[in-house]
Amino acid sequence: MLVSDNKLKYGVALLLCIGTGIAVLKLGGWFNPRLQAIQAPALSGERIHIPDQRGRLTWVSSWSVSCALCLRELPDLEALHLQYGKHLQIVALALPADPPNAINDVKNRLQLTLPVVLDLDAAAARQLTPDLVVPSHHLVDSEGRVLLKLKGALHREAMLAALQPYLPP
């Protein structure tokens, strides 16, 4: 009986430790990390703020001019921008290694009106895509919490499905 009582005590202690650890991680922001505020220039000349200063959610899609999958999904991002731009800031974040003239060529060729952002100092890439895997997507709330992280190419329906719980009815 003494052995089973000790097992029970150790089991309860272990569960308490695990529960406390999870609570500390959650309160510490480990499950929804916060971004340092990012300000980056868009090709249009405006400065884009992540998180959005108007309180909207921000969908950041990291891409590269040399990524065929990225170039295929940019028109889908444009469609989302046109449909949900009042409720959602959509940003196409070019990798820091991409030359601005090549980024501008893509923007003009695809007739993008969504903000195409230059990450000149790599501040955004260090936080969002330190592994430089593109395409990658992040949904950031107005407090800078990363709500979603998705890697790989997405078509418009997959983007909408990921966004659906966060969009107004």
Side-chain angles (χ1 to χ4, degrees):
M1 189 65 149
L2 183 60
V3 172
S4 65
D5 282 345
N6 283 341
K7 284 182 182 177
L8 181 62
K9 287 178 189 175
Y10 288 125
V12 169
L14 179 62
L15 287 174
L16 284 172
C17 288
I18 291 171
T20 302
I22 289 172
V24 167
L25 289 174
K26 193 153 182 82
L27 291 174
W30 286 83
F31 293 122
N32 274 343
R34 287 183 193 252
L35 294 177
Q36 298 270 332
I38 297 168
Q39 289 186 42
L43 287 176
S44 64
E46 66 183 309
R47 295 210 53 85
I48 300 300
H49 299 269
I50 306 168
D52 182 51
Q53 292 184 321
R54 292 186 277 172
R56 296 178 297 174
L57 294 173
T58 301
W59 179 278
V60 182
S61 181
S62 299
W63 67 286
S64 174
V65 296
S66 63
C67 169
L69 295 173
C70 301
L71 298 177
R72 270 189 254 148
E73 73 181 18
L74 284 171
D76 289 338
L77 285 170
E78 175 69 15
L80 284 178
H81 169 69
L82 294 174
Q83 185 174 0
Y84 293 104
K86 291 181 181 175
H87 307 289
L88 177 70
Q89 173 178 241
I90 298 180
V91 175
L93 177 71
L95 287 184
D98 287 340
N101 60 335
I103 297 166
N104 196 44
D105 288 347
V106 169
K107 179 184 185 289
N108 291 336
R109 184 167 33 94
L110 297 177
Q111 300 176 345
L112 301 176
T113 62
L114 64 98
V116 176
V117 176
L118 303 173
D119 190 15
L120 300 173
D121 61 0
R126 279 193 299 276
Q127 291 189 71
L128 295 169
T129 53
D131 56 7
L132 300 179
V133 172
V134 291
S136 67
H137 310 273
H138 294 80
L139 183 63
V140 180
D141 73 6
S142 61
E143 300 296 317
R145 288 184 295 264
V146 178
L147 304 175
L148 288 174
K149 290 181 186 181
L150 305 167
K151 296 216 184 263
L154 299 175
H155 51 80
R156 187 167 184 266
E157 291 77 23
M159 292 176 198
L160 281 171
L163 284 169
Q164 202 59 47
Y166 303 98
L167 292 174

